[in-house]
Amino acid sequence: MTGRSPLITLNNGVKMPALGLGVYQSSPEQTVKAVESAIAHGYRLIDTAAAYLNERQVGEGIVRSGIKRSEVFVTTKLWISDYGYESTLRAFDASLRKLGLDYVDMYLLHWPVPSGFEATVASYQAAEKLLANGRVRAIGVCNFSAKHLENLIARAKVVPAVNQVEMHPFFIQRAVREADTRHGIVTQSWSPIGGVNVYAPANPNAVKNPLEHPVVVKLAAKYGKTPAQVVLRWHMDHGLSAIPKSVRSERIAENIDIFDFSLTTDEVAAIDGIDSGVRGGPDPELVDTRLFNFSI
């Protein structure tokens, strides 16, 4: 697999680009062009989900790009309304049809749903079957805490290859990253530059956007990069995978132009130091079909 991003070797030997394009909240109309643009700019990882309602357009963008199927790493996710063994297999078939693909590189469970964890385990066991049958190349999870991972791994045959979680300078998830590392799981960052952030500090004058934080702004000036590029480089220097979302071609190009510099250990630590401990997205402990009561 070629492209501008370095590759990360997953715990089953499959290689995945470290940086990819996310398409969360990209409209169907925008998604096709965003995927085409990303591939043209050297992206080789595209991340979508059944719940994003744009799998069909991701597939169309891949076709329009002219790239060989083997040269692009495609991730999609199972939505919580389809949890359960047989319903997972049906939902996977639906995703594959929409994508127009013969296989998926990575299949992820979208949330742990701790209030209905038996169904979560059943879904993961279905994903293990898809892996054994060669219909997916790797399987993993999203938004799992250390406790969720322990509970799943205790009942699984295959350790997840990836745990995709909210991760940005204001929410650095140290405990989750440490748990992932213990199990040989790659931590993948959604909202990597903090777009999800709704940080509301007690001090109303505090910086609310990590891209405007003085630590990040100063490093951007030092390296002649944008604050977003510095933050994405921070993910890379932590050994993480990241899937920044954009539908603008110029921003898509900017986000992958981060492999000509690196941050020092002290600079990585300085960005770590602006962690607020406040998540911007939903609390995984609370996500279930009552909170998100829609089906795909």
Side-chain angles (χ1 to χ4, degrees):
M1 184 178 293
T2 59
R4 295 181 61 188
S5 168
L7 300 175
I8 294 175
T9 301
L10 303 178
N11 57 18
N12 66 349
V14 169
K15 296 184 183 299
M16 177 184 75
L19 188 76
L21 176 75
V23 295
Y24 174 58
Q25 292 186 330
S26 297
S27 71
E29 298 77 18
Q30 295 170 318
T31 299
V32 176
K33 291 182 179 179
V35 170
E36 277 190 277
S37 176
I39 291 172
H41 286 296
Y43 288 74
R44 295 296 181 265
L45 165 61
I46 309 295
D47 178 277
T48 185
Y52 300 170
L53 304 179
N54 56 18
E55 289 172 306
R56 196 178 309 279
Q57 288 74 28
V58 165
E60 184 178 343
I62 292 170
V63 170
R64 288 191 183 185
S65 76
I67 196 170
K68 292 180 180 179
R69 171 64 186 96
S70 61
E71 292 297 313
V72 61
F73 191 103
V74 180
T75 296
T76 194
K77 309 177 189 78
L78 174 72
W79 184 237
I80 60 176
S81 62
D82 288 318
Y83 277 20
Y85 190 88
E86 294 298 335
S87 52
T88 293
L89 298 178
R90 290 192 296 270
F92 176 80
D93 286 341
S95 287
L96 207 61
R97 285 194 302 270
K98 291 174 185 176
L99 287 162
L101 301 176
D102 295 326
Y103 66 92
V104 169
D105 296 277
M106 175 75 71
Y107 199 47
L108 304 177
L109 273 60
H110 212 139
W111 293 94
V113 194
S115 63
F117 204 69
E118 288 301 313
T120 303
V121 172
S123 289
Y124 193 78
Q125 290 169 342
E128 289 178 323
K129 178 180 180 179
L130 294 169
L131 179 66
N133 291 344
R135 305 191 71 199
V136 301
R137 298 177 65 222
I139 59 176
V141 296
C142 302
N143 303 300
F144 272 50
S145 69
K147 179 181 70 175
H148 301 147
L149 287 173
E150 295 289 349
N151 291 341
L152 180 68
I153 291 170
R155 300 175 62 183
K157 296 178 181 177
V158 177
V159 174
V162 163
N163 185 16
Q164 186 185 115
V165 297
E166 178 184 346
M167 181 85 65
H168 47 78
F170 279 178
F171 194 61
I172 67 172
Q173 297 256 49
R174 197 181 302 274
V176 168
R177 287 188 284 122
E178 289 174 354
D180 288 345
T181 298
R182 282 197 305 273
H183 293 294
I185 299 169
V186 171
T187 304
Q188 188 171 65
S189 311
W190 64 259
S191 191
I193 58 178
V196 72
N197 190 59
V198 290
Y199 176 48
N203 177 2
N205 296 318
V207 177
K208 298 178 179 65
N209 182 346
L211 300 186
E212 297 173 359
H213 195 282
V215 169
V216 174
V217 171
K218 183 177 179 180
L219 288 171
K222 173 184 175 179
Y223 287 106
K225 293 291 185 177
T226 67
Q229 288 172 321
V230 167
V231 169
L232 289 171
R233 185 67 240 184
W234 169 79
H235 288 272
M236 299 297 103
D237 289 334
H238 262 306
L240 308 174
S241 174
I243 47 167
K245 175 255 178 164
S246 182
V247 295
R248 293 167 48 192
S249 182
E250 66 274 15
R251 182 61 57 79
I252 289 169
E254 174 189 310
N255 285 345
I256 203 171
D257 187 19
I258 61 169
F259 298 111
D260 57 353
F261 80 110
S262 61
L263 303 174
T264 68
T265 301
D266 287 345
E267 289 166 347
V268 170
I271 295 177
D272 288 352
I274 70 175
D275 178 33
S276 72
V278 177
R279 69 171 72 245
D283 183 346
E285 290 294 334
L286 305 178
V287 171
D288 58 20
T289 53
R290 292 167 296 180
L291 183 66
F292 293 129
N293 59 356
F294 65 91
S295 300
I296 306 303

